[in-house]
Every structure is written in C-alpha cells, then in structure tokens.
C-alpha cells in the first residue's frame, strides 16, 4: 500500500484559500462604522456592527486570490529577492564560509551555547521593533552553520524563527504591535510593560531550552531529526552555499572588509526601520537628514533621501542592492560574474516569494467575503459582561483564531483594539491587559499558522515539511499558551 504523503505547502495554502471561500457562503457577513472611512487602515467604532449582504467567494475568486496576494506583497517580495542576490554575492567570496569555520573552531565542544545567544539576539529584535520579515536574510546564513556543527536545518530555522517570534510575542516596546495597539487603546506604550517583560523572559527561556534539547538529541542520534530522511540531500543542498574552503582557512583582508560591510548593512537596517522620532522622540536622524539635504548643491546631489527611522522594504532593498554592488566590486571578478551570481541567488529564494504571495491570498478572500467584521463582532459579544479573570483569559483565547485570519499584527491591532479595549473598562480591567493579550496571541499564532508568509517561507528555506513542523512544535506552543494565560490571570488578580 502506498504511504500517504502530506501535500506541499503550496497545496496546503491553496486548500485553505478554498476553505475560507466556502466559509464565506456560511459565515454571516457584516460591517462596522469607521472613524475615517477613507483611511488606509480602517478604525471601527464599537457597538456599530450591522449585518451585511453576503458576498460569497467563488472559483474565480479563489484562483485570483494568490495573484492579488502577490500584488499586496510586492514590497517584501522584492526585498527577499534582492536579499537572496546579496547573500549569494557575499557567499561567492568565501568570506562567510571562512568566518563560519572560524566560529566552529572556537566553539568546538561548546556549540550548543550558540543557540541561546543567537535566540536572545533575535528576541531582542522582535521585542523592540517587531523583527519578523527581516529574519528572512538569516536562514541561509545560519542553517549551514548548524549543519556543519552536527545539527540539522530544523535547529537553524528554530533559532531564527523562534528567537524573533518569541521576542515579538513578548513585545515590550515594539511599535508595530504594542505601539499601535496601545495607541488605539488610548494608553501609553509603557502600560503593562512589566507583564510583557515577564512574558518575554519566560518564553525565550522556555524556547531556548526547547531548541537546545532537540539539538542535543539530533547531535547524539541524527535519526531523531524530524527531517532525517532528507539528511544527505539537505547537507548537499545547504553546503552548496559554502565555497568549500579548507577547514583551517584564515580570514584575509578582503574577507574582513566584505564581512564588515555585511555586518554594517544589518546595523543600518535596524537603524532604518525603528521609528526613532515617531515613537521614541529621538530626532537625531531626522536632524541629520534635514542638515544634509539642506546643504547647497550637496543636498541636490544626494537626492530625495529618506531619514533613518522612516525606512521600509523599498529602502531596505536599495540598501542591500547597494551593498551587493560594493561587495561585487571588492571581489573583482567582473560585471558578468556579479550579475550571474546575484540573479542565481534571487532565483533560489523565489519559492519563498511564491509562498508569501499565496498565503496573502487567504486574507484577500476572507476580507472580500465580509467575514472579518463578523468574527470581530463575535469577540465583542463574547467578552461583554464577564469576570475580570475570565476576561483576561478569554481575550487571549479570542485573539488566537482572529490572528489566524489577520496575521499582520499592526492590521489586527488597528482593526480590533478600538472594539476590544473599551470592553476592559466595563469589566474593570486595565486596557493594557487587552493589549498584552492581543500581542501574545498574535505572536503565538504566527509561530504555527500557515497564513504567516514569513513562517511558511522559513520552512521552505529550511526544507521542513509543514506537517512535521506542526507535529513537533504544537505541544511546546500549547505550554506557552497555558503559561501566558496564567500570567494574564495573575496580573489581573494582583
């Protein structure tokens, strides 16, 4: 009898799009009144929900949804393709490969320490500026490192995805989740900071233990790997990103220069996307921008620059394309070699772009079918007139399915917080509890939901079947969910 196989990620996502389309024939459609109906992000008004005529989605809508998803995700798609090209150019120099072998030599016998250190660094990015899409650059860098150390691709994916994901789950000052939600809840981003910090620390510690235990088992017995049947194929695939330099190769001046530019590019990336002025009142970058662009002649030569803190995917793509060109010049193998390498690297990440576009199609169908407002109204009814402890726990539980349908934390905050936060006043609970419940649930769901293009892209890069990933991680995420619910209840009681 032929063994049944789980369909690919692409087929799974198409099936979910079809399922959501079927639900639009069953789930009532509805709408809210909005503060500004013309705004890019609509802010609904509590208590204004009304039923609307159903707009069931058919075969045409299912087929065109992934295309519309691609169009909505063109910014991150461009960023990923440019990043793939940049990484390929850097890899072709051998600098990263030599650097990796140097790290392995220094950590020999202590390789496991790299796991918590890197997870904490990614968690720091997640909790401060919502690092998630930006992690796509790191998988092809770190997966070969962990495979060379005797682990598997799963460890590399977990270190990046769980590190940044748990940081986002425990967002302390993340402006794209906590900041937007706090704004719509009409509270300070500092309200509930202690609780969020506790959630962050506990979740990152539990996550590090989870990954280290799995890594230890795989290193001791490779058959414990959830992708053991792909071991030889994966090693061949990921080692293709290596330049096959000798084990004892030393960093040359050229290598050090390329690695310095590589590191600097990520520092600039962080500086570019953190809203220093808008959220933290730090205007140094805007002041510098105004000074430089205001200079006679020089300002015109520099062009229409965007100050650090206001960057997003277009500026990030420009940054990494520029760094790729500079790196290509340093390598000095000519124009044709540079473009061949860059295009080849971009091509390697096209599967990730495909996944992201298809996953966006799920939200496209749901919104077109009018389901979003109805699901939100269910929460409004569910959370009215209950006890304070029940409110804290049920708000967290309610945001779990809602986060599945709206994987964007900023979009979910904009859509739901004007409705959910005022309910806290009637129950007698601080609005910061609603904000923390929202961000925790959103962060938790994004670690497992197929509607998260970043997660599905990461699994595709790591060559990890989605069904095996879910089977391996669901118990750990369930434990995290229980811990968060307990902490939310305790915060209300205390």
């Amino acid at each position: 009898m032929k063994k049944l196989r789980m369909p690919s990620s692409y087929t799974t996502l198409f099936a979910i799009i079809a399922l959501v389309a079927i639900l639009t024939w069953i789930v009532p459609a509805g709408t809210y009144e909005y503060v500004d109906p013309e705004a890019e992000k609509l802010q609904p008004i509590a208590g204004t929900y009304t039923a609307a005529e159903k707009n069931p989605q058919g075969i045409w809508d299912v087929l065109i949804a992934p295309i519309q998803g691609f169009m909505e995700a063109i910014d991150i798609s461009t960023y990923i393709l440019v990043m793939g090209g940049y990484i390929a150019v850097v890899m072709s120099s051998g600098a990263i490969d030599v650097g990796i072998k140097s790290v392995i030599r220094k950590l020999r016998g202590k390789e496991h320490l790299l796991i918590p250190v890197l997870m904490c660094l990614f968690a720091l990015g997640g909790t401060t500026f919502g690092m998630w899409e930006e992690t796509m650059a790191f998988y092809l860098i770190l997966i070969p490192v962990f495979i060379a150390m005797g682990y598997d691709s799963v460890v590399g994916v977990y270190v990046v995805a769980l590190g940044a994901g748990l940081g986002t789950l425990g967002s302390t000052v993340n402006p794209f989740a906590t900041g937007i939600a706090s704004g719509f809840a009409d509270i300070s981003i500092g309200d509930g900071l202690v609780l969020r910090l506790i959630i962050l620390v506990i979740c990152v510690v539990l996550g590090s233990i989870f990954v280290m235990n799995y890594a230890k088992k795989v290193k001791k017995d490779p058959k414990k790997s959830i992708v053991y049947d792909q071991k030889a194929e994966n090693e061949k695939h990921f080692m293709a990103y290596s330049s096959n330099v000798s084990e004892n190769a030393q960093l040359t001046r050229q290598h050090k220069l390329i690695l310095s530019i590589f590191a600097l590019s990520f520092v600039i990336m962080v500086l570019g996307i953190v809203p220093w002025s808008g959220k933290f009142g730090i205007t140094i970058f805007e002041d510098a921008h105004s000074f430089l662009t205001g200079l006679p002649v020089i300002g015109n030569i520099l062009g229409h620059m965007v100050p650090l803190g206001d960057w997003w995917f277009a500026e990030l793509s420009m940054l990494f394309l520029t760094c790729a060109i500079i790196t290509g010049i340093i390598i000095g193998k000519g124009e044709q070699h540079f473009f061949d390498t860059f295009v080849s690297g971009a091509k390697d990440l096209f599967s990730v772009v495909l996944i992201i576009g298809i996953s966006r199609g799920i939200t496209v169908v749901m919104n077109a079918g009018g389901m979003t407002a109805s699901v939100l109204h269910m929460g409004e009814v569910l959370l009215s007139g209950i006890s304070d402890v029940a409110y804290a726990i049920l708000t967290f539980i309610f945001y779990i399915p809602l986060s599945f349908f709206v994987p964007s934390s900023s979009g979910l905050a904009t859509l739901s917080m004007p409705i959910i936060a005022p309910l806290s006043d009637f129950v007698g609970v601080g609005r910061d509890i609603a904000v923390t419940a929202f961000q925790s649930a959103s962060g938790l769901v994004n670690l497992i939901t197929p509607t998260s293009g970043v997660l599905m892209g990461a699994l595709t890069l790591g060559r990890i079947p989605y069904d095996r990933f879910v089977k391996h991680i669901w118990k750990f995420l369930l434990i995290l969910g229980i811990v968060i619910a307990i902490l939310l209840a305790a915060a209300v009681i205390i």
Side-chain angles (χ1 to χ4, degrees):
M1 181 177 177
K2 190 175 180 180
K3 186 178 179 181
L4 293 175
R5 292 178 60 87
M6 179 72 179
S8 68
S9 299
Y10 309 101
T11 303
T12 300
L13 290 173
F14 266 112
I16 293 174
I17 291 175
L19 176 61
V20 172
I22 293 172
L23 289 176
T24 62
W25 291 73
I26 303 170
V27 177
T31 185
Y32 279 92
E33 293 180 15
Y34 299 98
V35 174
D36 180 4
E38 303 300 322
E40 181 179 352
K41 291 187 176 180
L42 298 175
Q43 180 184 347
I45 301 173
T48 62
Y49 173 84
T50 55
E53 184 178 351
K54 283 186 179 180
N55 184 28
Q57 303 294 288
I59 295 175
W60 175 275
D61 305 296
V62 170
L63 294 176
I64 203 170
I67 306 303
Q68 293 174 324
F70 279 122
M71 296 173 69
E72 291 185 5
I74 190 65
D75 51 357
I76 185 175
S77 298
T78 302
Y79 163 76
I80 289 172
L81 292 176
V82 171
M83 177 55 65
Y86 178 37
I87 291 176
V89 171
V90 175
M91 289 290 189
S92 70
S93 71
I96 287 183
D97 194 50
V98 175
I100 287 173
K101 286 180 168 59
S102 177
V103 170
I104 293 175
R105 285 198 302 270
K106 292 179 180 179
L107 288 177
R108 188 153 287 147
K110 301 177 182 178
E111 295 92 345
H112 61 284
L113 296 178
L114 195 60
I115 295 174
V117 170
L118 288 176
M119 287 188 69
C120 285
L121 289 175
F122 285 115
L124 183 62
T127 194
T128 53
F129 65 90
M131 187 179 197
W132 189 231
E133 289 90 349
E134 300 84 358
T135 60
M136 300 306 298
F138 294 95
Y139 292 102
L140 291 181
I141 298 171
L142 291 178
I143 290 175
V145 174
F146 286 104
I147 288 180
M149 288 180 171
Y151 302 117
D152 63 2
S153 65
V154 179
V155 175
V157 170
Y158 277 176
V159 165
V160 181
L162 282 184
L166 293 175
T168 304
L169 182 157
S171 294
T172 50
V173 294
N174 172 12
F176 306 109
T178 310
I180 293 176
S182 297
F184 281 118
D186 198 25
I187 60 175
S188 165
I189 196 172
D191 292 331
L193 180 61
V194 174
L195 173 59
R196 296 195 296 272
L197 187 59
I198 292 172
I199 291 175
L200 171 68
V201 172
I202 291 177
C203 288
V204 172
V205 169
L206 291 176
S208 297
I209 293 172
F210 171 74
V211 178
M212 290 176 74
N213 283 341
Y214 172 76
K216 182 179 179 181
K217 291 178 183 178
V218 170
K219 189 158 190 176
K220 184 177 181 180
D221 181 4
K223 292 182 179 180
K224 297 291 185 182
S225 168
I226 65 174
V227 290
Y228 174 70
D229 59 319
Q230 304 168 197
K231 186 176 186 296
E233 183 182 346
N234 281 353
E235 288 177 353
K236 180 180 178 181
H237 172 78
F238 289 110
M239 288 305 108
Y241 290 92
S242 168
S243 60
N244 295 318
V245 298
S246 67
E247 191 71 26
N248 297 315
Q250 301 297 316
L251 288 170
T252 64
R253 290 181 63 183
Q254 184 191 69
H255 290 155
K256 291 177 181 179
L257 179 57
I258 291 173
L259 290 177
S260 296
I261 294 171
F262 190 66
L264 181 62
S265 67
F266 286 95
V267 172
I268 295 174
M269 179 187 80
V270 174
L271 294 175
I273 62 179
V274 175
W276 302 104
S277 176
K279 291 296 181 182
F280 304 114
I282 301 173
T283 63
I284 182 173
F285 297 117
E286 289 196 350
D287 294 341
H289 172 266
S290 298
F291 172 76
L292 290 173
T293 56
L295 292 173
V297 182
I298 295 177
N300 291 331
I301 293 175
L302 290 175
H304 302 88
M305 296 190 304
V306 176
L308 292 173
D310 293 334
W311 286 22
W312 201 224
F313 287 118
E315 292 76 18
L316 294 181
S317 298
M318 174 212 68
L319 167 68
F320 290 118
L321 177 60
T322 302
C323 290
I325 294 172
I326 294 173
T327 301
I329 293 173
I330 295 172
I331 293 174
K333 291 186 178 181
E335 175 191 9
Q336 192 61 49
H337 177 271
F338 168 78
F339 282 110
D340 287 345
T341 305
F342 188 89
V343 171
S344 177
K347 181 177 66 177
D348 287 342
L349 292 194
F350 181 73
S351 60
V352 179
V353 172
L354 194 62
I355 283 289
I356 290 175
I358 297 174
S359 66
R360 288 285 180 97
I362 298 170
T363 304
V364 168
V365 171
M366 193 188 78
N367 288 339
M371 286 175 54
T372 306
S374 296
V375 173
L376 181 58
H377 178 61
M378 291 170 55
E380 186 178 8
V381 173
L382 173 69
L383 298 173
S384 299
I386 57 177
S387 68
D388 52 1
V389 173
Y391 170 81
I393 296 175
L394 286 177
T395 300
F396 173 67
I397 294 174
F398 164 68
Y399 268 114
I400 290 176
L402 196 59
S403 297
F404 172 85
F405 291 114
V406 189
S408 167
S409 59
S410 58
L412 181 56
T414 304
L415 177 70
S416 66
M417 202 49 62
I419 304 296
I420 302 302
L423 296 177
S424 305
D425 301 335
F426 295 106
V427 178
V429 173
R431 293 189 176 194
D432 59 287
I433 295 295
V435 171
T436 303
F438 142 73
Q439 68 167 57
S440 299
S442 176
L444 187 67
V445 170
N446 274 336
L447 289 173
I448 196 170
T449 177
T451 61
S452 170
V454 176
L455 174 65
M456 298 302 289
L459 296 179
T460 301
L461 284 176
R463 301 163 69 89
I464 306 169
Y466 180 68
D467 60 319
R468 300 189 199 179
F469 166 74
V470 173
K471 184 178 180 181
H472 184 250
I473 204 172
W474 76 267
K475 291 180 181 178
F476 168 68
L477 296 183
L478 178 61
I479 292 172
L480 287 186
I482 294 172
V483 169
I484 292 168
I486 291 173
L487 290 173
L488 286 168
V492 171
I493 295 172
I494 296 173

